[in-house]
Amino acid sequence: ESRIAQLSGLPINKVYLILKSLNQRRIVHFIPQRTVPLVTYTRDRELPENVVIPKSVYEDRKELFEWHIKKMLQYAMNNNVCRSRQLLDYFGEEESTDCGKCDVCLARKNELQTEPDAKDARQKIMALLADGEWHNKTELLNVDASKDAVDNAVRQLVSEELICIEHARVRAK
């Protein structure tokens, strides 16, 4: 400890605290000075100029980093899918249900309460799409419900991932 303090120009107690911190983070193995101090590196150390990261590893890490950022932005900006479901999807869970407690679920619940025939519109839309085939979005206009109820129901069904819309077509999942 005193030799490191002498070489670094730091006080011995500061060197001691730094070595303890490095030991706690498992960077070095440090046994405080009693008779003979001992420092053991638990990992190989390389000089920075000897470290080479292959381009493929760099590209893979960059792609993963971009994916993480994209998912974070989607989470922050998506007001249609339950926050809990988004988090579970991020961690690879495919089967999930709405939590009913996040801001998205509470907003959807309020929409359902303000639109009394939204449940009826949902049932009619699901009945229309029950065959699992692609349907033209204009067929939704033929559902026997108000336009607002159909719009709310479609928005909810998409957010709950019960139906999907691609281009001008819609189908049940």
Side-chain angles (χ1 to χ4, degrees):
E1 294 166 33
S2 58
R3 177 80 172 131
I4 293 172
Q6 180 185 10
L7 291 172
S8 66
L10 295 171
I12 292 176
N13 61 343
K14 181 77 171 174
V15 170
Y16 173 78
L17 293 173
I18 291 170
L19 289 172
K20 274 187 70 168
S21 172
L22 291 171
N23 185 56
Q24 288 173 340
R25 289 187 273 158
R26 299 180 187 269
I27 296 172
V28 298
H29 182 68
F30 171 65
I31 300 173
Q33 181 176 358
R34 291 201 176 116
T35 55
V36 178
L38 177 65
V39 174
T40 305
Y41 290 102
T42 57
R43 296 184 183 153
D44 291 337
R45 296 178 46 98
E46 290 289 335
L47 294 172
E49 58 268 11
N50 294 340
V51 176
V52 177
I53 300 175
K55 188 170 182 157
S56 62
V57 171
Y58 171 79
E59 291 296 327
D60 289 345
R61 287 183 183 178
K62 181 181 174 190
E63 188 176 305
L64 183 62
F65 184 71
E66 288 171 349
W67 181 84
H68 285 287
I69 290 174
K70 178 183 162 194
K71 287 294 189 178
M72 283 189 275
L73 288 172
Q74 283 177 352
Y75 179 83
M77 297 169 66
N78 187 337
N79 293 324
N80 295 320
V81 179
C82 169
R83 302 286 181 205
S84 179
R85 289 179 79 172
Q86 289 184 66
L87 287 173
L88 290 170
D89 178 56
Y90 177 83
F91 290 108
E93 288 289 326
E94 295 176 7
E95 297 292 323
S96 62
T97 58
D98 288 351
C99 68
K101 298 176 184 175
C102 69
D103 61 324
V104 175
C105 291
L106 293 175
R108 189 177 310 121
K109 192 176 189 180
N110 287 340
E111 278 182 17
L112 277 174
Q113 290 171 350
T114 58
E115 188 64 52
D117 59 351
K119 284 185 180 179
D120 184 45
R122 284 173 58 105
Q123 291 172 344
K124 290 177 180 176
I125 291 169
M126 290 307 292
L128 173 70
L129 304 176
D131 61 3
E133 299 295 321
W134 286 101
H135 293 265
N136 196 315
K137 281 173 50 175
T138 57
E139 291 180 48
L140 297 175
L141 298 174
N142 298 331
V143 171
D144 184 28
S146 71
K147 184 182 181 322
D148 288 339
V150 171
D151 288 346
N152 285 338
V154 168
R155 197 174 314 113
Q156 292 165 9
L157 291 168
V158 168
S159 70
E160 293 171 18
E161 298 178 2
L162 296 174
I163 65 172
C164 62
I165 297 176
E166 282 184 15
H167 308 292
R169 303 178 315 160
V170 61
R171 74 172 170 93
K173 287 191 174 184

